[in-house]
């Protein structure tokens, strides 16, 4: 027997957050600056051959297959500071701008082929909304091609391997200083699964 529907069940509350994001109109990446923290989905519609299926699903403003799902938490949230407010600061806009810069640096992607949806969310729901969206869509840059959301690891950790994303999409200046343990062909095989 199926349990009775509970609208206050954690999963149902998280689904409400995820659905609120998906109801938003896609906009060009990066969007204009705004205040707040929350969740986002990035969509690709360009001509990079390994992403052909993804691009077709996202053309004509349909945006049905995110290439990446992410979150931006308010400043202080990771350090256990007093509960920060999701509407203070520009965490979400800043994160989307960082992603736009990474894409712009890639020598085989064009920023004009990307759009996004974003939603300012009360900070307590941000991780849940992000995890449910990743579970629902399994975006390729979250699941198979790791490293898109990486930051410069700093000089003390330059012996790290270059991420799969940076191998497939070279161009981020700091990533060229990391060793490449795989080839673009190796990474392309991960896309097919």
């Amino acid at each position: 027997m199926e349990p009775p529907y509970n609208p206050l069940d954690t999963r149902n509350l998280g689904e409400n957050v995820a659905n609120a994001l998906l109801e938003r109109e896609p906009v060009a990446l990066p969007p204009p600056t705004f205040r707040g923290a929350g969740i986002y989905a990035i969509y690709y519609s360009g001509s990079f051959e390994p992403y052909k299926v993804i691009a077709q699903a996202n053309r004509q403003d349909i945006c049905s297959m995110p290439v990446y799902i992410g979150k931006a938490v308010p400043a202080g949230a990771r350090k256990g500071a007093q509960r920060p407010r999701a509407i203070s600061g520009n965490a979400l806009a800043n994160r989307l701008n960082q992603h736009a810069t990474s894409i712009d640096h890639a020598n085989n992607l064009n920023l004009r082929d990307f759009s996004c949806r974003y939603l300012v969310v009360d900070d307590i729901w941000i991780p849940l909304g992000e995890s449910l969206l990743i579970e629902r869509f399994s975006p390729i840059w979250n699941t198979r091609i790791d490293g898109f959301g990486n930051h410069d690891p700093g000089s003390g950790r330059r012996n790290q391997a270059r991420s799969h994303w940076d191998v497939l999409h070279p161009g981020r200046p700091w990533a060229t200083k990391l060793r490449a343990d795989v080839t673009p062909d190796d990474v392309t095989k991960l896309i097919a699964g």
Side-chain angles (χ1 to χ4, degrees):
M1 181 169 149
E2 187 174 321
Y5 176 75
N6 177 358
L8 298 179
D9 179 78
T10 304
R11 184 166 190 88
N12 291 332
L13 291 170
E15 287 290 337
N16 288 338
V17 173
N19 291 336
L21 171 73
L22 297 174
E23 290 169 2
R24 298 185 59 93
E25 288 296 317
V27 297
L29 181 70
T33 299
F34 59 93
R35 296 189 64 73
I39 57 175
Y40 57 91
I42 296 176
Y43 301 89
Y44 175 72
S45 60
S47 59
F48 186 66
E49 184 60 30
Y51 299 153
K52 182 179 180 178
V53 171
I54 295 167
Q56 288 173 342
N58 294 327
R59 290 203 178 109
Q60 299 170 339
D61 296 323
I62 294 172
C63 290
S64 62
M65 188 180 290
V67 70
Y68 187 75
I69 301 283
K71 70 175 186 253
V73 296
R78 293 187 183 143
K79 295 182 179 180
Q82 184 177 4
R83 189 167 172 242
R85 295 196 35 106
I87 57 169
S88 64
N90 297 4
L92 187 51
N94 291 345
R95 189 69 174 138
L96 290 167
N97 274 307
Q98 291 167 1
H99 289 322
T101 298
S102 290
I103 290 166
D104 206 32
H105 282 145
N107 66 17
N108 54 8
L109 296 174
N110 193 317
L111 187 55
R112 75 170 179 264
D113 295 327
F114 287 85
S115 59
C116 68
R117 287 184 170 107
Y118 61 92
L119 181 68
V120 174
V121 179
D122 192 333
D123 55 286
I124 196 168
W125 304 112
I126 293 171
L128 182 61
E130 179 199 33
S131 64
L132 288 172
L133 285 162
I134 291 171
E135 180 183 314
R136 184 186 296 183
F137 291 105
S138 296
I140 196 162
W141 288 356
N142 291 93
T143 59
R144 296 186 184 171
I145 311 296
D146 71 312
F148 172 63
N150 290 1
H151 297 280
D152 185 344
S155 61
R157 294 188 266 163
R158 293 272 189 238
N159 60 346
Q160 288 180 244
R162 195 173 305 164
S163 76
H164 287 158
W165 193 88
D166 287 296
V167 168
L168 189 60
H169 303 296
R172 289 197 280 198
W174 57 265
T176 60
K177 299 171 186 165
L178 305 174
R179 69 177 198 282
D181 291 349
V182 295
T183 68
D185 287 340
D186 296 331
V187 179
T188 301
K189 289 175 187 171
L190 297 173
I191 296 170

